[in-house]
Amino acid sequence: MTVDKLRALVIECAGESIVREAEAVDPEQAHTVLANLVADWNAGKDFDPGVYDFLLGRVVLRDDDSPRQFGMLKQQAVSELRAIVIRTWLTDMSRGVAATVCKALAGLGYGAHISKKGFALAPLDIAEAWNNLHPDEPPLDIVWD
């Protein structure tokens, strides 16, 4: 596995917008994410560990390179690249703006979200990410109407 091959796999399964946007907002971090995942894959890490291994944080080696293992690798890459983009969008957002956006979306009901460049963010996604990025501020809470 190489970084270029993993990049191509992510584009194949999730679309080019996720890779392109992550590389646009933080090219070094995007490359580091892919490089670390490739290193883990090449070292034999199991990307679909058992529940107890996962809960205990144990790293185990995979038995084979099954389609499920490839799928979990791609899913992890997409998730980490997506987090880079969301973190960039929400880092400088004030609490008031984030709260207003969350309240407006929650008021529209279940399934409401903002979509930007192939990313769909629901109120809970926004609140969770914003709270994680701003631990010194009061947390955002979602109230569903």
Side-chain angles (χ1 to χ4, degrees), residues 6 9-10 13 27 30-31 38 46-47 51 53 67 69 71 76 81 86 89 93-94 97 105 108 112 115 128 144:
L6 180 55
L9 289 170
V10 170
C13 79
H31 180 78
V38 166
D46 188 341
F47 281 82
V51 173
D53 292 322
Q69 288 287 334
Q76 184 68 34
L81 292 174
I86 292 169
W89 290 342
M93 186 179 285
S94 72
V97 170
L105 288 173
L108 294 174
S115 182
E128 180 182 8
W144 298 96

Side-chain angles (χ1 to χ4, degrees), residues 120-134:
L121 296 174
L124 292 175
D125 298 327
I126 296 167
E128 180 182 8
W130 191 92
N131 289 339
N132 289 335
L133 290 167
H134 301 90

Side-chain angles (χ1 to χ4, degrees), residues 48 66 68 72 91 99 102 143:
D48 185 25
S66 68
R68 181 163 175 82
M72 297 300 284
T91 295
C102 289
V143 178

Side-chain angles (χ1 to χ4, degrees), residues 68-116:
R68 181 163 175 82
Q69 288 287 334
F70 277 116
M72 297 300 284
L73 170 67
K74 291 187 285 189
Q75 183 178 359
Q76 184 68 34
V78 169
S79 178
E80 290 188 30
L81 292 174
R82 187 176 186 269
I84 292 169
V85 176
I86 292 169
R87 184 172 48 248
T88 301
W89 290 342
L90 298 179
T91 295
D92 295 328
M93 186 179 285
S94 72
R95 185 181 190 288
V97 170
T100 301
V101 169
C102 289
K103 183 176 180 177
L105 288 173
L108 294 174
Y110 181 76
H113 64 274
I114 293 176
S115 182
K116 177 181 177 183

Side-chain angles (χ1 to χ4, degrees), residues 37-74:
L37 289 170
V38 166
D40 286 347
W41 178 267
N42 291 340
K45 178 183 175 186
D46 188 341
F47 281 82
D48 185 25
V51 173
Y52 292 111
D53 292 322
F54 179 75
L55 292 174
L56 295 173
R58 291 191 291 223
V59 175
V60 294
L61 297 180
R62 65 183 178 275
D63 295 328
D64 60 12
D65 294 347
S66 68
R68 181 163 175 82
Q69 288 287 334
F70 277 116
M72 297 300 284
L73 170 67
K74 291 187 285 189

